[in-house]
Amino acid sequence: MSVTALSPRRSSQRAQKEQHILSAAEKVFAEAGFGGATMQLIADMAGLPKANLHYYFATKEDLYRRVVRDIFEIWLHAADVFDAAPGPAEGIGAYIDAKMEISRRHPHGSKVWASEVMHGAPVIQDYLETTLNDWTDGRVALIQRWIDEGKMAPVNPRHLLYMLWATTQHYADFNHQIETLNHGKPLSERQWREAKNSVKAVILRGIGVA
Amino acid sequence: MSVTALSPRRSSQRAQKEQHILSAAEKVFAEAGFGGATMQLIADMAGLPKANLHYYFATKEDLYRRVVRDIFEIWLHAADVFDAAPGPAEGIGAYIDAKMEISRRHPHGSKVWASEVMHGAPVIQDYLETTLNDWTDGRVALIQRWIDEGKMAPVNPRHLLYMLWATTQHYADFNHQIETLNHGKPLSERQWREAKNSVKAVILRGIGVA
DNA sequence: TCAATTCCTGACCATATGGTCAAGGCAAAG
DNA sequence: CTTTGCCTTGACCATATGGTCAGGAATTGA
């Protein structure tokens, strides 16, 4: 039994390969769902034999778990802009921008997350109950403070958060529908700006800060 | 080869049984996704042998197709309230109410629909390109007219529609998350009213009609 | 150069799943 | 009552899939 640590070179290469696999897996899980995804598909997408895939990730569930957790991290960090803000106009505006950017850059991840939650969150239920719950409570309190200070209209903070999540993630989760309704083409740079501005305009005016 | 029509009694019983199966299938597809759903699970849920299930629906895809199309119908009919309205306050307000009610009454169907679109709409792509596209164009034109008539703030109608879809369907598609953040309990009657009102308040004020 | 360790892979296995089928049950028309 | 045709079902099949494994290839440290 050896306790030798991997050499830095090996360790880095391994991390790199894991990342490559995770990226392929994210795409396959997003496009086919957990049930529809196969290890063979993921292996093909990553360009390696299935057996090799199993060397890095023992089971399909392990791989899936990693994908979902990575998304969750990104998701949570989008909130950083929220806290630093002096008021709702800046905080919520920046949050919308950040989440829209995530929808644009990580559409696959967003779908995996949505799928996971829709199916009852079998692998991240504990995260929902702890981390997400705490995060939400914090944000609700912050928004309530803004309301109490007269900085925005009195809106139920929890439902406002849901609206923010829903509207921004919609551009990732339903991007196929949006593309279809956009003559089959992805949103252009200009159209993404328009989308961001539209969402921000309605929400910010909706909470009385614009 | 017989061309005898089914007796009314038989025909009705068959329709009833099909409906029962469709209901079970909707639930299973929603909870497990197309790939994760099995004919055995659906049969168990409907309380009949798998072979009997195959008598009514030849293949899993047939069954799925029927489920998705049924949802789509409901989805489209929610728009009826939209058209009759004299202006945005009534039309969009009623539309939000209608779609929130659908999220409440048909959470399974909404999830199946979301899943279908997220996975690239393999079975209803043609509907998206024809029916939904036309429907959307009509609604966009109507909203634009309201804007031109000065009845509401100038908001990109298409993105406004996306916001309406996103916010209302969120309560169905992510109901597990919402329940988890609600101390593990489903929204009460009162909380549903609060949700509806919150969404309407932000959106309607956001488009300048409240 | 030479172990030691990590990495890679084709072949293989057990199981689950969509779908089939033949035989029997049952309602209703004649 | 009998026949006709729909309905029901246990048993069965072919295939796909998650996962294993033994042995070989690379890489690393001494």
Side-chain angles (χ1 to χ4, degrees):
Chain A
M1 185 185 297
S2 156
V3 273
T4 317
L6 252 55
S7 77
R9 182 171 164 72
R10 278 234 160 150
S11 172
S12 148
Q13 278 184 342
R14 176 168 189 126
Q16 208 170 326
K17 196 138 199 175
E18 277 184 4
Q19 204 50 52
H20 178 69
I21 292 172
L22 284 168
S23 173
E26 180 184 274
K27 195 171 178 183
V28 173
F29 281 133
E31 286 170 357
F34 179 81
T38 71
M39 292 302 265
Q40 188 63 62
L41 261 178
I42 295 170
D44 291 348
M45 180 77 62
L48 40 79
K50 186 167 69 106
N52 199 5
L53 187 59
H54 276 284
Y55 175 76
Y56 286 95
F57 296 93
T59 71
K60 184 179 168 184
E61 212 177 302
D62 280 348
L63 183 49
Y64 177 73
R65 215 185 301 272
R66 273 289 299 274
V67 169
V68 172
R69 287 200 180 183
D70 287 358
I71 307 303
F72 189 63
E73 290 303 317
I74 294 174
W75 208 83
L76 268 188
H77 280 314
D80 295 347
V81 294
F82 211 112
D83 302 306
E90 302 86 354
I92 292 178
Y95 186 57
I96 291 173
D97 277 332
K99 290 224 68 198
M100 287 293 279
E101 208 53 36
I102 291 178
S103 284
R104 189 178 183 185
R105 305 291 174 199
H106 302 274
H108 300 315
S110 184
K111 285 177 190 170
V112 174
W113 172 261
S115 211
E116 163 71 7
V117 173
M118 281 202 312
H119 298 160
V123 323
I124 40 97
Q125 180 61 23
D126 54 332
Y127 274 79
L128 292 189
E129 287 171 2
T130 57
T131 316
L132 182 62
N133 194 49
D134 295 347
W135 183 93
T136 306
D137 282 349
R139 253 33 66 167
V140 165
L142 176 58
I143 293 171
Q144 189 58 54
R145 211 176 311 137
W146 285 338
I147 293 172
D148 293 342
E149 292 169 353
K151 290 180 175 172
M152 57 177 279
V155 175
N156 184 306
R158 209 164 277 271
H159 292 295
L160 174 58
L161 274 181
Y162 296 162
M163 290 186 74
L164 295 175
W165 295 346
T167 48
T168 54
Q169 285 177 230
H170 184 81
Y171 284 88
D173 301 341
F174 288 75
N175 71 340
H176 177 80
Q177 190 178 70
I178 289 174
E179 282 192 27
T180 298
L181 295 180
N182 189 44
H183 312 293
K185 292 179 195 162
L187 296 190
S188 65
E189 176 69 34
R190 169 187 230 89
Q191 287 176 315
W192 269 101
R193 254 203 312 278
E194 176 80 5
K196 273 191 202 175
N197 289 337
S198 297
V199 171
K200 278 193 290 188
V202 173
I203 297 277
L204 293 182
R205 197 186 302 123
I207 61 175
V209 301
Chain B
M1 188 184 298
S2 154
V3 273
T4 317
L6 252 55
S7 78
R9 183 173 164 72
R10 279 234 160 148
S11 172
S12 147
Q13 277 184 341
R14 177 170 189 126
Q16 208 170 327
K17 198 139 198 176
E18 277 183 5
Q19 205 49 53
H20 179 68
I21 292 172
L22 284 168
S23 173
E26 180 183 274
K27 195 170 178 185
V28 174
F29 281 133
E31 285 172 356
F34 178 81
T38 72
M39 292 301 267
Q40 188 62 62
L41 263 177
I42 295 170
D44 291 350
M45 181 77 62
L48 40 80
K50 185 167 68 104
N52 201 5
L53 188 59
H54 277 284
Y55 175 77
Y56 286 96
F57 296 93
T59 71
K60 184 179 168 185
E61 213 177 302
D62 280 347
L63 183 49
Y64 178 72
R65 215 185 300 273
R66 274 288 298 273
V67 170
V68 172
R69 288 200 179 182
D70 287 358
I71 307 303
F72 189 63
E73 291 304 316
I74 294 174
W75 209 83
L76 268 188
H77 280 315
D80 294 348
V81 292
F82 212 111
D83 303 306
E90 302 84 355
I92 292 178
Y95 186 56
I96 291 172
D97 278 331
K99 290 224 67 196
M100 287 292 279
E101 209 51 35
I102 292 178
S103 284
R104 189 178 183 185
R105 305 291 174 200
H106 302 275
H108 300 314
S110 184
K111 284 176 189 171
V112 175
W113 172 261
S115 211
E116 163 71 5
V117 173
M118 282 203 309
H119 297 349
V123 324
I124 40 98
Q125 179 62 23
D126 54 332
Y127 274 78
L128 292 189
E129 288 171 2
T130 57
T131 316
L132 182 62
N133 193 49
D134 295 347
W135 184 94
T136 306
D137 283 349
R139 256 31 69 169
V140 165
L142 176 58
I143 294 172
Q144 189 59 54
R145 212 176 311 139
W146 284 339
I147 293 173
D148 293 342
E149 292 169 353
K151 290 179 175 172
M152 58 177 277
V155 176
N156 184 306
R158 208 164 277 273
H159 292 296
L160 174 59
L161 274 181
Y162 295 162
M163 290 186 74
L164 294 176
W165 294 346
T167 48
T168 53
Q169 286 177 229
H170 184 81
Y171 285 88
D173 301 342
F174 288 75
N175 72 341
H176 177 80
Q177 190 178 70
I178 290 174
E179 283 192 27
T180 298
L181 295 179
N182 190 43
H183 312 293
K185 292 178 194 161
L187 296 189
S188 66
E189 177 69 33
R190 169 187 228 89
Q191 287 175 315
W192 269 102
R193 253 202 313 277
E194 176 80 6
K196 273 191 201 176
N197 289 337
S198 298
V199 170
K200 277 195 287 188
V202 172
I203 297 277
L204 293 182
R205 196 188 300 124
I207 61 175
V209 300

